[in-house]
Amino acid sequence: PVVFESPRDAQGRGIATVHQFGGTYPLMSIGRNFFVGAEPTKGWGPVKVFDRKTANETAVKAVQEFGITRIDDGDRLVGGLSGGERQSLAIARAVHFGARVLILDEPTAALGVKQAAHVLRIVNEAKKRGLAVIFITHQVMHAMTVGDHFAVLIRGAVAADFRKGEKTREEITDLMAGGETMADLEAQIEGYMETHEGHVPSAN
């Protein structure tokens, strides 16, 4: 097995992780966020300063290459971006710094439909560029939209391992529900509601 000494060691071997909220810093600019920990500098000798112009131009170009044309100012604070744009910024950053394996941890969990679709488009673009993408999600439709090979985990163990087209959405959903069919689950919920009907507040 491959053992990494640190996250930086993994990054040096081309593995990047983007967490649920993109790992961005809301009160920092897009250019600063893009180069955090690897800031470009200018100047000579011991006196060097952050090269804001280079950082901003590089960050904006990298993000726009993924189709995020709304981001056109590297000085803009990341806190003003949508959740989907933050995820896109983090993915573009990982690709720029040489990621070959991209691990995305629930990138669409806290997003609306439009923003989630935006992130899924970015994932497909990363795949087209030859990156291996590990997409961790509990959203079956999102997984099926971008996935080629699937694994369902239950309590940390692999419950199923299959390729695109081998299982239906309903079958995958059943697996993710712990093996219970959705019909059984719906029956249980209906039974509970009938039993406790007199205790449920009226919506009127």
Side-chain angles (χ1 to χ4, degrees):
V2 177
V3 178
F4 300 111
E5 298 296 329
S6 65
R8 190 175 291 275
D9 182 23
Q11 290 172 4
R13 301 194 197 193
I15 300 173
T17 302
V18 177
H19 298 285
Q20 184 171 338
F21 297 104
T24 53
Y25 303 91
L27 297 180
M28 290 173 60
S29 69
I30 289 170
R32 287 268 185 186
N33 265 274
F34 195 87
F35 282 99
V36 68
E39 293 81 358
T41 57
K42 62 182 179 180
W44 293 270
V47 182
K48 292 185 179 181
V49 296
F50 177 67
D51 189 346
R52 183 172 62 86
K53 183 174 184 293
T54 296
N56 288 350
E57 289 177 352
T58 304
V60 168
K61 181 181 178 183
V63 175
Q64 289 190 344
E65 284 178 353
F66 272 96
I68 319 301
T69 55
R70 199 171 82 90
I71 295 179
D72 57 6
D73 180 7
D75 279 326
R76 183 179 174 187
L77 294 182
V78 166
L81 303 181
S82 70
E85 288 169 336
R86 291 190 198 191
Q87 289 287 353
S88 301
L89 174 65
I91 292 171
R93 179 185 190 279
V95 173
H96 175 81
F97 282 101
R100 298 187 300 277
V101 178
L102 193 56
I103 303 171
L104 305 179
D105 182 12
E106 294 280 6
T108 59
L111 305 182
V113 174
K114 185 176 180 180
Q115 293 182 19
H118 186 76
V119 172
L120 295 176
R121 189 173 76 246
I122 298 297
V123 172
N124 276 328
E125 179 61 29
K127 287 171 58 183
K128 288 179 185 176
R129 296 188 184 196
L131 276 75
V133 181
I134 299 173
F135 188 94
I136 302 167
T137 183
H138 65 276
Q139 301 278 1
V140 176
M141 284 304 299
H142 295 175
M144 294 183 73
T145 299
V146 298
D148 301 302
H149 188 169
F150 305 85
V152 176
L153 302 181
I154 297 178
R155 297 185 182 90
V158 177
D161 188 318
F162 52 93
R163 293 193 174 276
K164 191 169 189 174
E166 293 180 353
K167 290 188 182 296
T168 65
R169 181 180 65 180
E170 290 74 19
E171 289 173 323
I172 300 171
T173 303
D174 289 344
L175 281 165
M176 292 177 67
E180 295 181 282
T181 65
M182 289 306 294
D184 289 342
L185 194 57
E186 288 171 1
Q188 289 176 26
I189 294 171
E190 185 176 341
Y192 177 86
M193 294 301 291
E194 289 176 354
T195 301
H196 297 79
E197 189 175 17
H199 303 286
V200 177
S202 171
N204 296 325

